[in-house]
Amino acid sequence: MTDLKVILSQDLKVKPKDNELKFGTMFTDHMFVMDYNKDEGWYDAKIVPYGEFSVEPSMMVFHYAQAIFEGLKAYRKHDGEILTFRAIDNFKRLNISAERMCIPRFDECMAKNALYELLRIEKDWVPSQKETSLYIRPFIIATDPYIGVRPSDTYKFFIILSPVGAYYPEGFKPVKIFVTDKYVRAASGGVGFAKTAGNYAASLYAAEEAKKMGYTQVMWLDCAKRKYVEEVGTMNIFFVIENILVTPDLSGGSVLAGITRDSVIKLANHFNMSVEERKISIDEVFDAHEKGKLKEVFGTGTAAVISPVSELNLNGKKITINEGKTGDISQFLYDKLTAVQYGMDKDPFNWVETI
Ligand SMILES: *Cc1c(COP(=O)(O)O)cnc(C)c1O
C-alpha cells in the first residue's frame, strides 16, 4: 500500500510467555491509526508505536458514545504461518455499525490491507501454544471537541492488538446462565445489530446482578414481549433440540450478526446437520427440556468460539442441560471450527487467509 506511513518503535516490549497470557491486558508494540475530517475524508493512515495520545475532555465520544468496534483474531499455524479468519467480514460489519451510528464509512479493503501490514510488523506477537491467538480490536471514535448533540465532524480509526491465552486452558467449562425478563439488551429499531460501545455499557447492570446470584451471564429476551430468546451475554445462542440446531433469526434488527454464528451455521450445514434460524421462545426451550428434547445449549463468539451452557434459570425455575456437561455437537463444532481457523483442516469456505 503506497499511502500507509510506518513509524517503527525504537523501544520494543518484552513479550509475555504463551502460558502466561490472559485476555486483553497487554498490547503489542504498534497500532494502526487513521483520521477523518470533512474536507479530506479518511486520511493520514499510519502504523505508529502503540501508546498514549492526548485529547480534550470535551471530545464527543466521551459524552454521546459515537463509538464502534470489532473483534477478530490472528492465529499461528503449526508451520509458523499467520492466518486470519473472515477478516473482511469484520470490516464490512464495522461499516454497518458506522452507518447506524452516523460515522463515515471507510474502504474495507484498505483497512484489511493495513491490518495485514500491521500483523506482518507484529508477527512475533502471535503466540503459538494451542488455542492462543492475537486478538485484533479495530475501533472508531468521534473526536470533535464539542458538547452539542450532533454527529462529530472528525473521527479516529484505530487497530490495536493483544495476545490472548486459551479461553479454556483446562477444556470447556460450561456456564450457568440467568434468563432475564427484567432487563433488555436491545430493541427493535434501536442499535442492537451494531457493535457499538453503548450496547455494552447498557448490558453491565444485568450481568452484575446475575453474577451476584452465581451466574456467569444473562440470556436476553426480546424487549416487546420478553418471550423470544435473542442472545446470551455478548454471544449469539444456539439450542440443539432433538437433532436440529436452532438459533434466533436476525430479522428483528436487535440481534448482532455474529461471524462465529454464521460460521457455525455454514459448518453445520456442511456436515449435514439441520439448522433453523427462527424465533424461539424461552417457553419452547423449557418445554423441550421437559420433554427430553433439549440436548445442548451453547453461545458463539470470537473470544470463546463456543461456550457450552450447563444451566438456565428463569424466575427461579432451573434446568440443567446435558447433565451440566459439554455436548457432543458443541464439542464437534468447536473442534471443526478451530481446526479451520488454525489451518489444520481444509477450508472449504475460503475463510482463512495467510498474512
Ligand atoms: C461481537 C458480538 C457477538 C459475536 O460476534 P462474533 O462475530 O461471532 O464475534 C455476539 N453478540 C454481540 C452482542 C456481540 O457484540
Side-chain angles (χ1 to χ4, degrees):
M1 219 167 27
T2 50
D3 53 353
L4 181 67
K5 256 184 293 176
V6 177
I7 300 168
L8 294 177
S9 170
Q10 298 305 311
D11 185 20
L12 298 182
K13 298 172 187 172
V14 178
K15 294 179 185 66
K17 293 198 180 72
D18 283 10
N19 59 356
E20 288 166 1
L21 291 171
K22 296 189 174 66
F23 183 86
T25 51
M26 178 152 206
F27 301 93
T28 67
D29 292 304
H30 300 90
M31 62 182 176
F32 169 77
V33 192
M34 177 165 71
D35 288 290
Y36 178 91
N37 69 31
K38 283 209 147 153
D39 295 334
E40 292 167 274
W42 287 106
Y43 71 102
D44 200 18
K46 57 191 183 212
I47 289 171
V48 294
Y50 176 93
E52 295 169 0
F53 65 108
S54 79
V55 296
E56 290 190 38
S58 58
M59 187 163 83
M60 285 186 90
V61 67
F62 295 144
H63 304 273
Y64 309 121
Q66 245 189 314
I68 55 175
F69 67 96
E70 273 301 324
L72 65 158
K73 286 171 170 176
Y75 308 86
R76 192 176 291 280
K77 198 178 166 182
H78 50 81
D79 65 2
E81 281 189 313
I82 290 161
L83 310 176
T84 59
F85 181 74
R86 304 188 68 172
I88 194 67
D89 292 333
N90 287 91
F91 289 115
K92 285 182 180 162
R93 188 171 65 187
L94 191 58
N95 259 336
I96 291 170
S97 302
E99 174 121 30
R100 181 63 179 84
M101 303 313 289
C102 295
I103 293 170
R105 293 175 63 90
F106 59 90
D107 182 330
E108 292 148 10
C109 286
M110 180 272 167
K112 197 189 84 166
N113 289 338
L115 167 64
Y116 284 15
E117 191 55 39
L118 179 62
L119 287 173
R120 277 178 218 116
I121 291 168
E122 301 292 59
K123 60 183 186 309
D124 292 344
W125 279 94
V126 183
S128 48
Q129 213 171 68
K130 194 170 183 283
E131 290 172 17
T132 61
S133 57
L134 186 66
Y135 189 82
I136 301 163
R137 168 54 55 87
F139 64 104
I140 303 177
I141 54 171
T143 53
D144 279 8
Y146 176 66
I147 56 169
V149 179
R150 57 151 173 78
S152 180
D153 288 333
T154 61
Y155 296 87
K156 270 187 186 296
F157 184 147
F158 293 88
I159 304 176
I160 59 175
L161 308 173
S162 175
V164 297
Y167 203 88
Y168 301 105
E170 282 115 43
F172 277 128
K173 229 197 254 143
V175 293
K176 291 162 66 176
I177 300 295
F178 188 82
V179 185
T180 180
D181 55 9
K182 185 167 160 199
Y183 304 107
V184 293
R185 190 191 82 89
S188 161
V191 296
F193 67 87
K195 227 171 161 68
T196 187
N199 282 339
Y200 281 70
S203 76
L204 297 175
Y205 194 85
E208 286 301 298
E209 257 193 24
K211 272 177 206 152
K212 278 186 203 134
M213 293 182 286
Y215 290 82
T216 306
Q217 257 300 348
V218 294
M219 181 175 283
W220 304 105
L221 304 178
D222 77 285
C223 89
K225 299 194 173 129
R226 312 283 161 103
K227 180 176 174 184
Y228 296 105
V229 176
E230 297 210 321
E231 301 202 48
V232 52
T234 57
M235 290 189 287
N236 295 111
I237 182 82
F238 285 78
F239 302 93
V240 183
I241 300 179
E242 293 187 301
N243 285 325
I244 301 172
L245 280 163
V246 183
T247 191
D249 67 286
L250 305 175
S251 64
S254 50
V255 173
L256 197 289
I259 290 164
T260 318
R261 173 190 180 278
D262 186 67
S263 306
V264 161
I265 292 171
K266 294 198 165 109
L267 265 184
N269 284 327
H270 180 76
F271 290 105
N272 294 317
M273 296 179 203
S274 306
V275 184
E276 292 177 1
E277 291 178 74
R278 61 167 170 87
K279 278 190 174 354
I280 176 162
S281 70
I282 192 66
D283 292 341
E284 180 183 342
V285 173
F286 275 66
D287 192 52
H289 178 265
E290 194 135 298
K291 296 194 169 104
K293 294 179 182 172
L294 182 66
K295 306 295 184 195
E296 300 179 30
V297 180
F298 61 88
T300 63
T302 294
V305 188
I306 299 251
S307 190
V309 173
S310 58
E311 180 188 316
L312 293 177
N313 179 333
L314 172 67
N315 294 322
K317 196 174 168 205
K318 297 179 191 173
I319 59 174
T320 301
I321 294 128
N322 194 39
E323 298 169 341
K325 295 195 290 261
T326 300
D328 293 343
I329 292 175
S330 308
Q331 185 74 55
F332 175 82
L333 289 167
Y334 177 83
D335 291 344
K336 288 296 170 190
L337 188 49
T338 52
V340 172
Q341 289 171 332
Y342 285 88
M344 293 179 292
D345 273 6
K346 275 215 195 72
D347 168 23
F349 307 97
N350 287 319
W351 284 335
V352 172
E353 289 179 346
T354 305
I355 297 302

